[in-house]
Amino acid sequence: MKKTIILSLIFTLLGTLTGLIINTNHNKQLRTFNEEKKYYFLQEGIYSNEKNMLENTKELDSKLVINEKNKYYVYLGITKEEKIAQKIKNIYQNKGYTLYIKEINIDNEEFYNNVTQFDLLINNTNKENEILTIEEVVLANYEEIILNQ
């Protein structure tokens, strides 16, 4: 009888421990896949050298330049909403620029919350200068939170 009770306790503890380990690993995997959020980056261009990039973008007041694999990627806006991306793209097209909307996934809750707030501000205005000022802050925010991690 004692042997049965001891074995029952051991198997119960082993089962509980196994369940906890499986649950913990499963939750880690879920967080890994669920935390990445989709953003729309408005890309002005990709340049192979800094001199050309600086020459072609000298009239742009706000831009995000990312040097990756010896190429310079120039972005003029970041948003979570495709509608806002199109709105920003139209502003720059009216100024003579050709932008490409590029989808990028980012895993950062702080940046996600900030962009959500900035998108709300953009949704509440149609003034180009306000939209571009907001996007200037978004780009600086990206640089501070994501690039400087």
Side-chain angles (χ1 to χ4, degrees):
M1 181 79 168
K2 272 186 172 180
K3 197 177 200 180
T4 306
I5 292 174
I6 291 174
L7 284 174
S8 295
L9 286 173
I10 290 173
F11 288 127
T12 303
L13 287 172
L14 285 174
T16 303
L17 183 60
T18 303
L20 287 172
I21 291 170
I22 290 172
N23 188 38
T24 301
N25 287 335
H26 179 70
N27 285 340
K28 284 180 185 174
Q29 288 175 348
L30 284 177
R31 280 194 301 268
T32 299
F33 292 111
N34 288 341
E35 288 184 4
E36 283 199 346
K37 309 268 191 295
K38 179 170 53 173
Y39 297 85
Y40 298 97
F41 279 61
L42 291 110
Q43 182 177 305
E44 186 274 334
I46 303 172
Y47 298 90
S48 56
N49 68 59
E50 187 176 20
K51 183 180 176 187
N52 287 343
M53 182 272 299
L54 291 172
E55 182 63 32
N56 288 335
T57 61
K58 65 183 173 193
E59 293 181 16
L60 294 169
D61 293 328
S62 66
K63 61 185 174 271
L64 172 67
V65 179
I66 299 176
N67 185 352
E68 203 172 86
K69 297 178 184 174
N70 294 325
K71 297 208 182 280
Y72 296 89
Y73 295 81
V74 178
Y75 299 103
L76 304 181
I78 303 171
T79 180
K80 292 181 351 190
E81 295 183 29
E82 193 171 5
K83 179 181 80 172
I84 293 175
Q86 195 59 50
K87 195 180 211 182
I88 297 165
K89 182 178 179 179
N90 291 339
I91 291 170
Y92 281 104
Q93 280 181 329
N94 292 338
K95 294 176 180 261
Y97 292 95
T98 302
L99 297 186
Y100 304 94
I101 298 174
K102 183 177 178 181
E103 292 182 17
I104 296 178
N105 293 321
I106 300 172
D107 175 13
N108 187 293
E109 197 65 30
E110 180 183 2
F111 185 67
Y112 177 83
N113 292 333
N114 291 348
V115 173
T116 300
Q117 295 303 314
F118 294 128
D119 282 353
L120 288 172
L121 292 172
I122 291 174
N123 274 326
N124 289 322
T125 187
N126 286 320
K127 295 180 182 177
E128 288 184 5
N129 62 334
E130 288 180 9
I131 293 170
L132 296 180
T133 300
I134 293 167
E135 279 306 307
E136 185 175 354
V137 175
V138 172
L139 295 174
N141 198 259
Y142 178 84
E143 194 168 11
E144 180 184 321
I145 294 173
I146 305 299
L147 295 182
N148 294 332
Q149 277 187 345

